[in-house]
Each structure stands twice: as structure tokens, then as C-alpha cells.
Amino acid sequence: MLRLSNLILPLDHPPEALPAAICARLGIRPDALQSFTVFRRGNDARRKTDIRLVYVVDVDLADEAAVLARFRDDPDVKPKPDMDYRFIGHAPPGHAGLRPVVIGAGPCGVMAALILAQMGLRPIIIERGKAVRERTKDTWGLWRRGVLEPESNAQFGEGGAGTFSDGKLYSRIKDPRHLGRKVLEEFVKAGAPDDILWEAHPHIGTFRLVTMVMNIRATVEALGGEYRFQTRVEDFEVESLPHGSRQLRGLHLSDGSFLRAEHVIMAVGHSARDTFHRLHERGVHIEAKPFAIGVRIEHPQSWIDRARYGPHAGNRILGAAAYSLAHKARNGRSVYSFCMCPGGRVVAATSEEGRVVTNGMSQYSRAEFNANSGLVVDISPERDFPGNPLAGIALQRKLESLAYEAGGGGYRAPVQRVEDLLASRASTGLGEVVPSYKPGVTPTDLSACVPDFVLEAMREALPVFGRKLQGYDHPDVVLTGVETRTSSPIRITRGADMQSLNTAGLYPGGEGAGYAGGILSAAVDGIRLAEAVGRSLLDDAAPAVTSPAMRA
């Protein structure tokens, strides 16, 4: 089978046009095309009046070798790569010993647990939050009633922070082993829509993510895994060994128990601040890393559709339009859109009392009235929060507390119209754009909770983005503060063996540890962590091989 890339067809082409285009591109008769499958479909919307679909197809031909020889110098015609996942090994029957532990049931932890379970290693999953159904009720309780459950919210609980997002499943990570394909295939088995396997920018949406996460849990448990919800890791038992090395020996849990463990995947999300502090106190190597802060910007989805797709706005194939924008400001800061959510809403995403944090969320249909994305500015440890490796957390907390105060309490969020932000004046009301954030908003001046250098960069970028995307800087567009949890402010540094640099047995990964950004990259990292743990455990379990001389 060969893979044919960059096959371009009109937006509304009939189904029979695709096999005809394959034959024309490869110069073959129709009867030589035995079968084909769409591997990926995207669109080219650079010309709004002439939007094209761009396909990558896997093709089965009667004489594949001859076609490949004829197109040997064509980068768009190549053999189909081997994308099958192969396990590094499986536990022998009756395998005993300490079980691997996964801390956190977000995308990284869930995939790590699934792979470990599929290898027969019966992982224990520790999750501080609730199972996803109960967690969903608590999260909506904040949005509807302004009641926060600190251990069960948009950040904590089964599924991780990605459960209450757009459910995007694309990434720019290098993936030579095609582990992302394994992730998508497992998601489809668990109930995700099968179009995530071929859409160029796939997404699931919150409600479908809930069902999918539950089904993966059932699979892990059927394979011998164990989930412990509403259980927080309070402390880490680390033994100092001769020659200065350190070994993790177990976990102290919030129910008062001690869990012996020497292979622990640390897959907590970027909001597990108390866990980061405890690791730092125990001497685990942590370093500060750059991240971004800013606000959520909200437009009517119809404006974005018209700006991106022109006369094709509303086309069922194109769906709700997305965008990606970036600008380098004169003050040296990068300003960019982040986590764009077509047809969604801005949501309250705090996990700590007396603080306001925003995020974006969409359902699979992306059918709600507004579009939103982060409008954020990069910050770095050297420039903005020097000193302690945890200083970025302190900065986040400061801004989130100021946002709570600016919103007037009750987890209402501060908002400002674009026209008022550009004029450096407080908003006293709203205009044509109705903000979606619940439990409510307060028009004000975002300078009360957003640093001046961030506002300066945004004021420069907004008109630039407006020239690229008509209506982006409309006077009534709403900015909602604050967006502070774009990524983890720390990295729990690891070595080539995927273990902490100075604490053996601790395998940090995913978004919280600073090694991923989004559902897919975190899940891929979970596979890699599970494989590292599996190698160690299976090597330990392998029977010793003795030489003939030793047997004699």
C-alpha cells in the first residue's frame, strides 16, 4: 500500500471525484485502483472564494511497485509507513511484586495506565479528584451556583483539565513512532468519534470525552488495574543511598495509608501546586520554565466564520472556523492566540478558593454562539519571576487573586471591551458581544489584574490581528481575565530513562511536569512513561540467564 499526499479537490466535490482524482494523479486506469482509505483531510482556506480540501490517502494498487518506481522522486507518493503499535513486552503469567503507580488520571496518566494494564502490569491509579461523572456535577456547580469544590473541578478529577476544554487532538510534537496514532485508536475504541482518525484538526468535545474516559477506566480495571479516587498524595518517601543517589520507596496518601511503590509515574496536571511544593521540599529536582499569561478574547462565531471562510461560512464540511495568530511586540514580548475554542464558551477553571482563572471549552458540535481563545503573552523565569523554581506559581496565584477581587467576588470574572482596553479606560458596560463566562462577569479595567507589559503588548497586537482577521478588534469584543494556566510553570526534569534526574523510581511526565501541552502530546508522553516503567519492571522480572561455565 502507498500513501498519496497533497491531493487537492474542490470543497463541495462529489464522492466519486476522490477515486477519480487518485487515478488521475497516479496515471492509472480505474480498475488498477483496488481500494483506498482517507488518512487525513484538511482544508486550504487562504483564498476564501476558492476553498479546497486537501487529502492524504492510503491506496492499494494492482501494481504498486511500478507506480512507486515511476514516482520515486515525488515526495507526495511514498510507501505507507508502518504505524502499528508494538508493546515492548508483557508480564509473564503470575507476575508478582510491587505494582506500578500512576498519580493523576488526566490524558498522560490515563494512557500510561492503559499501556501498563495492556502489558499485564496491573497499575494503581491515584487521583485526588472524583470520577468523571461526579466531577462533572461539581464543575457545573461552580459555573451555575458559584460553589467551588477545591478537589473536584475543571482542573482536578478523572480526565484531567482537558475534559473541560475543546478536546483538541492535534499536536506539533515529533512522533517518529506514530504513538499519536495509538492514542487516537484507543480513544475511538473507547467511544470517541472515528473522524478523529482522519480529520486534520480533530477534536472530541467535553461530553464525548466523559464517556471515553469512563470506558478506558473500565478497560484498565478489567485488565487488573485499580483506581483510587478522592485520594491525594500527601508526601513522598525517598531513601538516600550510598554515593549520593536517591530512591523513591513509597507514597503517603490522604487517607492516612502508606503505599509502597518504586515505580511511580507523576502525571499530575499543571495545577497540582501543593504536590509541586512537596516534591521541592523532598529535594526532587525542579526548575522554573516559561509559560504565558493573558486573557480570553470572545467573538460571535459567525464573525470568525465570515472572516475565515467568506461566502463559504457555515459550510457543513468546514464547520465552525478556528484561527491562529501571533505577533512580536516592540517590548520584546510574543503575543499569540492560545487554545482556540470554536463555537464554545469561556469557563471558570479555578481550583483554589478566592481566585479566578479562565479557560475555553467546546462540545463536539461546536454549535454555541461565541468563539473564544486565549490572548496571551510569553513570560520567562529570568525576566519575570527569577529566583525560586516555584516563583511562577506565586505569580499565577497573585494574578488570580487580583482577578477575583476585580470581578467583585463570587468567582465572577473581570471583563473589558476591546475599545476600552485600547483607550486605557475601564469598561462600565457591554456592547454587541455577550460574554459566556459563568457564574457571571463584571465590566472593569483589566489593569487591576493583568501586568502592564502584558496589556502593552496586547494593545499593539489587537489592531495587527484585526487586519489579519476582520472583526477581531471590533470595539465590543470582550476580554475576560485572567488566563494564567496556559502550561505548567515548572519542569520536573528527567533523564533519558524518563526518571527524575536525582530521584530514581519517579517518572515525571505530561503537562504538569512540563513535558506536554495538550491532550494528545500528554497522552503520547504517557505511553513513553509506561514503556520506561515496563522495561524496568520486566527486566527485573526476567529470569537470570547463566552461562555454561556458571552452570558447571
Side-chain angles (χ1 to χ4, degrees):
M1 186 169 281
L2 61 80
R3 176 159 292 173
L4 173 60
S5 302
N6 204 31
L7 189 65
I8 300 172
L9 280 83
L11 174 60
D12 291 315
H13 70 80
E16 61 270 17
L18 184 52
I22 294 171
C23 293
R25 176 70 175 80
L26 296 178
I28 59 174
R29 298 190 314 275
D31 59 359
L33 176 61
Q34 297 181 339
S35 66
F36 71 93
T37 56
V38 175
F39 175 72
R40 182 170 292 116
R41 185 188 72 183
N43 68 71
D44 181 351
R46 288 174 293 180
R47 294 177 61 194
K48 287 182 282 190
T49 59
D50 186 26
I51 296 176
R52 302 297 185 97
L53 296 180
V54 183
Y55 288 90
V56 178
V57 291
D58 292 332
V59 183
D60 190 11
L61 301 176
D63 192 354
E64 178 183 314
V67 172
L68 285 172
R70 198 153 37 89
F71 288 91
R72 67 173 62 90
D73 297 324
D74 190 329
D76 292 331
V77 183
K78 295 295 179 185
K80 177 188 174 184
D82 182 0
M83 302 182 74
D84 291 340
Y85 180 74
R86 293 172 177 80
F87 290 95
I88 60 158
H90 290 83
H95 174 68
L98 288 178
R99 296 162 70 180
V101 175
V102 179
I103 305 175
C108 178
V110 163
M111 272 314 291
L114 180 62
I115 297 297
L116 289 169
Q118 290 173 338
M119 288 194 288
L121 292 171
R122 302 181 306 116
I124 298 171
I125 301 92
I126 305 295
E127 170 54 57
R128 67 190 297 166
K130 296 181 182 179
V132 68
R133 286 287 187 204
E134 293 77 8
R135 175 198 179 195
T136 300
K137 295 176 184 177
D138 291 337
T139 303
W140 280 89
L142 172 61
W143 299 345
R144 289 172 174 165
R145 303 187 306 276
V147 178
L148 173 67
E149 292 289 343
E151 296 293 329
S152 182
N153 46 61
Q155 304 295 345
F156 297 145
E158 185 181 21
T163 303
F164 300 100
S165 69
D166 184 55
K168 297 178 188 65
L169 294 175
Y170 54 92
S171 174
R172 295 185 177 91
I173 60 170
K174 294 180 180 179
D175 188 18
R177 294 178 54 209
H178 308 289
L179 298 181
R181 189 69 177 181
K182 167 69 170 173
V183 172
L184 297 180
E185 289 174 349
E186 292 293 349
F187 283 6
V188 170
K189 288 179 187 176
D194 59 6
D195 63 11
I196 69 173
L197 294 173
W198 48 266
E199 283 287 2
H201 292 91
H203 78 287
I204 300 180
T206 290
F207 289 160
R208 295 200 179 200
L209 269 166
V210 168
T211 301
M212 185 194 82
V213 167
M214 292 173 59
N215 289 338
I216 292 177
R217 186 210 317 160
T219 299
V220 171
E221 290 175 332
L223 293 170
E226 174 189 350
Y227 279 74
R228 299 187 188 182
F229 292 111
Q230 296 179 262
T231 304
R232 187 175 60 253
V233 175
E234 300 280 15
D235 208 348
F236 300 82
E237 192 76 21
V238 179
E239 180 182 358
S240 296
L241 302 175
H243 312 298
S245 60
R246 294 153 43 94
Q247 172 67 49
L248 181 66
R249 295 300 186 195
L251 307 170
H252 295 274
L253 305 179
S254 57
D255 60 6
S257 65
F258 177 72
L259 178 63
R260 285 191 61 209
E262 296 183 356
H263 294 82
V264 175
I265 292 176
M266 175 60 62
V268 299
H270 56 42
S271 294
R273 294 163 171 173
D274 51 352
T275 303
F276 300 151
H277 277 276
R278 184 63 71 186
L279 288 167
H280 186 56
E281 290 171 357
R282 290 291 165 261
V284 174
H285 185 83
I286 293 177
E287 58 188 40
K289 62 174 275 295
F291 60 107
I293 58 175
V295 298
R296 280 266 144 187
I297 186 166
E298 200 163 11
H299 306 79
Q301 181 63 49
S302 60
W303 294 8
I304 303 301
D305 291 343
R306 287 196 300 270
R308 291 277 286 111
Y309 297 148
H312 296 290
N315 182 281
R316 61 176 182 80
I317 295 174
L318 297 174
Y323 60 79
S324 178
L325 299 165
H327 174 68
K328 187 74 170 182
R330 287 188 295 271
N331 66 2
R333 305 285 182 166
S334 294
V335 190
Y336 56 94
S337 57
F338 170 78
C339 188
M340 197 271 156
C341 295
R345 63 179 65 182
V346 179
V347 298
T350 188
S351 55
E352 296 179 337
E353 294 179 346
R355 297 189 169 101
V356 163
V357 183
T358 64
N359 194 16
M361 186 184 87
S362 299
Q363 301 298 347
Y364 176 70
S365 63
R366 290 177 165 173
E368 296 194 55
F369 190 77
N370 283 355
N372 74 83
S373 79
L375 176 63
V376 297
V377 174
D378 68 312
I379 60 175
S380 65
E382 300 79 14
R383 188 174 185 178
D384 302 303
F385 47 99
N388 189 299
L390 305 181
I393 295 175
L395 175 60
Q396 288 176 321
R397 282 176 162 158
K398 175 185 175 182
L399 299 178
E400 293 164 12
S401 295
L402 290 172
Y404 185 88
E405 295 173 10
Y411 300 101
R412 296 173 64 85
V415 300
Q416 191 170 13
R417 295 170 58 250
V418 161
E419 182 180 52
D420 295 329
L421 180 93
L422 293 174
S424 299
R425 63 174 179 248
S427 289
T428 56
L430 299 169
E432 190 173 349
V433 180
V434 179
S436 59
Y437 177 95
K438 300 295 182 183
V441 300
T442 300
T444 186
D445 188 340
L446 287 174
S447 65
C449 55
V450 179
D452 289 342
F453 70 85
V454 173
L455 295 174
E456 177 188 0
M458 289 197 305
R459 288 189 181 104
E460 181 182 327
L462 279 163
V464 174
F465 293 164
R467 290 192 290 273
K468 294 179 179 179
L469 194 68
Q470 186 176 3
Y472 187 89
D473 59 343
H474 185 284
D476 285 341
V477 166
V478 173
L479 305 165
T480 306
V482 289
E483 173 97 30
T484 51
R485 304 192 193 182
T486 52
S487 68
S488 182
I490 61 103
R491 178 172 287 114
I492 307 172
T493 320
R494 67 192 186 196
D497 60 359
M498 307 291 280
Q499 298 184 67
S500 161
L501 285 184
N502 69 340
T503 307
L506 183 68
Y507 295 76
E511 191 152 352
Y515 287 96
I519 295 172
L520 186 61
S521 62
V524 167
D525 204 47
I527 295 178
R528 298 177 63 219
L529 290 163
E531 291 176 339
V533 168
R535 286 189 189 93
S536 179
L537 287 169
L538 297 177
D539 286 349
D540 290 345
V545 178
T546 56
S547 68
M550 292 174 66
R551 289 196 295 270

